[in-house]
Amino acid sequence: MKDIKAKYPCFMWTVLLMSILTNILCGQTASAGLSLREEAVGALYKAGGYYRWQVAVHGGYVYYYSPDLKQRLGEGVATDSQIWVQPPGTPTVGMAFIEAYEATGDRFFLEAAQEAAEALIYGQLESGGWTNSIDFDPKGQVAQYRNGRGRGKNNSSLDDGQSSSAIRLIIQVDQALDFNNTSIHQSAQAALDALLAAQYPNGGFPQVWTGPVKPQPVMKASYPDYDWRTEGRIKEYWNLYTLNDNVCGYVAETLIDAVNIYRQGRYQTALKRLGDFFLLAQMPEPQPGWAQQYNYQMKPIWARAFEPPAVASDETQETLETLLTIYRVTGDTRYLEPFERALSYLKRSVLPEGKLARYYELKTNRPLYMVRDGKSHSLTYDDSKLPSHYGWKIDSRIDEIEKSYQALKQNRNAILNKSLTNSQDHSIRAIINQLDSQGRWISTYQGEPLIGQPKFKPGEAYVASEVFSKNMEMLSHFISDN
């Protein structure tokens, strides 16, 4: 904290002045003729100043904080020297600052985003990407990864958007700085080079890479010709083609940002190759969806003990959503070809209660679940005693996906607005009113599932980076549009 204040002393005056302003804008006098936009600007500075000056550690962030900031949580308890890369950690918060900078033009927010990018660069691995967290303590495990020591060194991960989200923030900061910051520009180029080198010839990506991948034959997906329940397990499944946890969706967003920022054809080529992989990976009838992961022969395989070879409804929906995104960028109608079969398949797979099973058994399409006995898992068709640590049933997004598909099919230039620009005034008003006197949005745990599975007690208060980021983005979009 002190080192940041010393580095940017002029911004302390900015924060002080904006604090006075926001006390006026967001206080009792807010109704005295001030526009909603003026109040939104005040809230943006107040919340941004609190998160930048009070919450950040070396410019980075974790998922959750106790209101007094003494407890910090990522995927488990974080030490005072750790930050999290995996969303909604440092990259997510940094992107919210970028949005605020674009809305206001104030370098206060750009400096905050730059600090987050520099924190990520500290933890960039030799393989070009990131693992899920960074430790600034020289004795910390992740710092040892960075310095080429310790177990698990050099494993760049795409799991849950780790490397993808870090790359997106760094390249957007690179653009905002007009590509003039040498360390940020070099980090961005190294990360993008490594990402492209991790793409297989068929266009797919592994969950983890340590260097350029070895070429594999290109073939279409097919069902295992062996007993998949007992055969075909691969220990290091993370080296193979992965769709789990929206790996490819995050990569697509990263490549699109690279296309828009650097205007280099190789990123567009990589994006189209990813789209081609989706076409190859669609399973044949009777289940024309997608699996979570495939071996090099393009057959669905086991991952963790509770992740069997199966057609996976969440990955199928994510794949369709990503194909729509790729089509909007490329205009290539081939990426719409899988939709009729896939949507028809999803519709006939909906459970009686309107949800989708996470897994459907290969060929039979029976909903497939797991039961846990101690440390072991066993497959079952019975959904009455499901473990609580995993989402065995998921919400259907079939209607939304089909509407988007039909809109694009009828007008290839249709742009589906998923932004926050159409937020109603009452939503912005609620965000402003929920901001407390210190500049915090305080959440209260009600028993709902949370990212990272923190062990909050019902009624316990906390500050969430995800809430901060979403609210900052909504305020920024509202300011830009008004």
Side-chain angles (χ1 to χ4, degrees):
M1 178 68 176
K2 292 180 180 179
D3 56 335
I4 295 176
K5 290 179 181 178
K7 186 176 180 181
Y8 304 105
C10 61
F11 284 103
M12 293 305 297
W13 288 104
T14 302
V15 173
L16 177 61
L17 291 172
M18 292 315 303
S19 177
I20 295 171
L21 175 62
T22 52
N23 283 334
I24 296 173
L25 293 176
C26 300
Q28 294 180 351
T29 61
S31 61
L34 293 175
S35 70
L36 186 59
R37 186 184 188 278
E38 290 170 325
E39 293 186 63
V41 170
L44 194 73
Y45 276 96
K46 189 170 188 178
Y50 174 78
Y51 236 70
R52 182 185 180 192
W53 296 124
Q54 302 299 323
V55 178
V57 169
H58 297 282
Y61 305 87
V62 297
Y63 296 173
Y64 308 105
Y65 304 83
S66 60
D68 61 6
L69 302 181
K70 292 182 179 179
Q71 186 178 26
R72 307 169 73 250
L73 300 169
E75 293 281 337
V77 176
T79 68
D80 292 340
S81 60
Q82 286 182 313
I83 64 171
W84 242 253
V85 178
Q86 183 170 313
T90 302
T92 306
V93 175
M95 292 289 283
F97 280 123
I98 283 287
E99 295 273 7
Y101 170 64
E102 291 176 349
T104 64
D106 193 330
R107 291 185 66 85
F108 171 78
F109 297 110
L110 176 56
E111 295 285 359
Q114 180 178 341
E115 290 159 10
E118 290 170 344
L120 292 173
I121 292 171
Y122 176 85
Q124 189 171 13
L125 302 173
E126 291 180 3
S127 52
W130 285 263
T131 187
N132 69 344
S133 60
I134 297 170
D135 199 329
F136 287 85
D137 183 345
K139 297 180 180 179
Q141 186 181 37
V142 178
Q144 291 182 25
Y145 293 172
R146 174 179 179 267
N147 295 317
R149 304 187 302 274
R151 183 172 176 268
K153 63 184 180 182
N154 210 31
N155 289 335
S156 292
S157 176
L158 291 171
D159 190 32
D160 291 311
Q162 292 168 23
S163 292
S164 299
S165 62
I167 295 171
R168 289 192 72 197
L169 175 61
I170 290 170
I171 66 177
Q172 292 204 29
V173 172
D174 190 24
Q175 181 186 43
L177 295 173
D178 296 323
F179 314 108
N180 289 325
N181 185 297
T182 301
S183 64
I184 288 177
H185 186 68
Q186 289 179 345
S187 170
Q189 295 306 303
L192 286 170
D193 288 347
L195 181 66
L196 295 192
Q199 187 175 31
Y200 284 101
N202 67 358
F205 285 87
Q207 185 182 100
V208 173
W209 80 81
T210 57
V213 296
K214 296 180 180 179
Q216 301 296 331
V218 177
M219 56 185 69
K220 289 184 67 65
S222 61
Y223 295 98
D225 51 4
Y226 49 82
D227 184 356
W228 56 264
R229 292 174 180 262
T230 58
E231 301 176 51
R233 290 180 184 263
I234 299 172
K235 181 180 179 181
E236 296 181 344
Y237 61 84
W238 48 83
N239 293 327
L240 307 182
Y241 311 131
T242 302
L243 276 71
N244 191 20
D245 291 329
N246 203 26
V247 159
C248 291
Y250 284 118
V251 170
E253 292 174 346
T254 305
L255 292 173
I256 291 168
D257 278 357
V259 169
N260 293 332
I261 290 171
Y262 298 110
R263 304 293 179 180
Q264 294 182 16
R266 61 181 186 143
Y267 303 125
Q268 178 97 349
T269 298
L271 181 67
K272 295 189 71 171
R273 288 177 58 205
L274 176 58
D276 294 343
F277 170 75
F278 286 138
L279 303 185
L280 291 170
Q282 186 176 25
M283 296 297 292
E285 294 289 355
Q287 295 171 289
W290 284 264
Q292 284 189 337
Q293 54 275 320
Y294 301 78
N295 62 18
Y296 293 138
Q297 290 71 47
M298 287 294 282
K299 301 180 188 299
I301 58 167
W302 286 89
R304 291 174 289 186
F306 49 88
E307 295 175 323
V311 175
S313 60
D314 199 34
E315 281 68 25
T316 294
Q317 292 184 115
E318 288 170 349
T319 295
L320 292 174
E321 290 163 343
T322 305
L323 280 170
L324 289 174
T325 299
I326 294 174
Y327 170 73
R328 285 197 294 271
V329 173
T330 65
D332 192 331
T333 57
R334 291 184 305 119
Y335 301 129
L336 298 182
E337 190 276 333
F339 276 78
E340 300 289 350
R341 298 192 309 279
L343 288 169
S344 176
Y345 164 70
L346 286 172
K347 289 177 183 178
R348 63 179 182 262
S349 301
V350 174
L351 301 173
E353 65 266 39
K355 289 182 173 288
L356 291 163
R358 190 178 191 100
Y359 300 113
Y360 290 88
E361 187 177 50
L362 295 175
K363 293 187 177 180
T364 72
N365 208 48
R366 294 181 68 181
L368 196 59
Y369 307 104
M370 286 273 184
V371 291
R372 188 173 184 175
D373 182 13
K375 294 184 178 181
S376 64
H377 297 77
S378 58
L379 294 167
T380 180
Y381 303 117
D382 183 4
D383 64 353
S384 63
K385 297 180 180 179
L386 298 178
S388 60
H389 72 290
Y390 201 63
W392 296 98
K393 295 181 180 182
I394 65 168
D395 292 334
S396 167
R397 304 191 297 278
I398 298 172
D399 290 345
E400 293 86 344
I401 293 170
E402 186 166 32
K403 288 177 182 177
S404 299
Y405 163 64
Q406 292 296 343
L408 285 176
K409 183 180 177 182
Q410 293 167 15
N411 177 10
R412 63 175 299 178
N413 294 318
I415 300 297
L416 302 173
N417 186 6
K418 291 187 177 181
S419 73
L420 302 171
T421 57
N422 291 326
S423 300
Q424 297 298 314
D425 286 1
H426 69 267
S427 298
I428 298 301
R429 166 62 61 202
I431 288 173
I432 294 170
N433 290 344
Q434 290 162 8
L435 191 68
D436 74 4
S437 60
Q438 294 186 49
R440 307 173 301 182
W441 283 292
I442 301 290
S443 300
T444 303
Y445 184 60
Q446 304 294 343
E448 69 276 15
L450 294 174
I451 297 171
Q453 302 179 15
K455 292 181 172 59
F456 292 130
K457 298 176 182 178
E460 188 172 357
Y462 62 93
V463 175
S465 289
E466 183 176 27
V467 172
F468 167 83
S469 300
K470 286 183 177 178
N471 287 349
M472 291 287 283
E473 289 174 4
M474 288 188 71
L475 290 170
S476 296
H477 282 275
F478 178 78
I479 293 165
S480 295
D481 291 345
N482 291 275

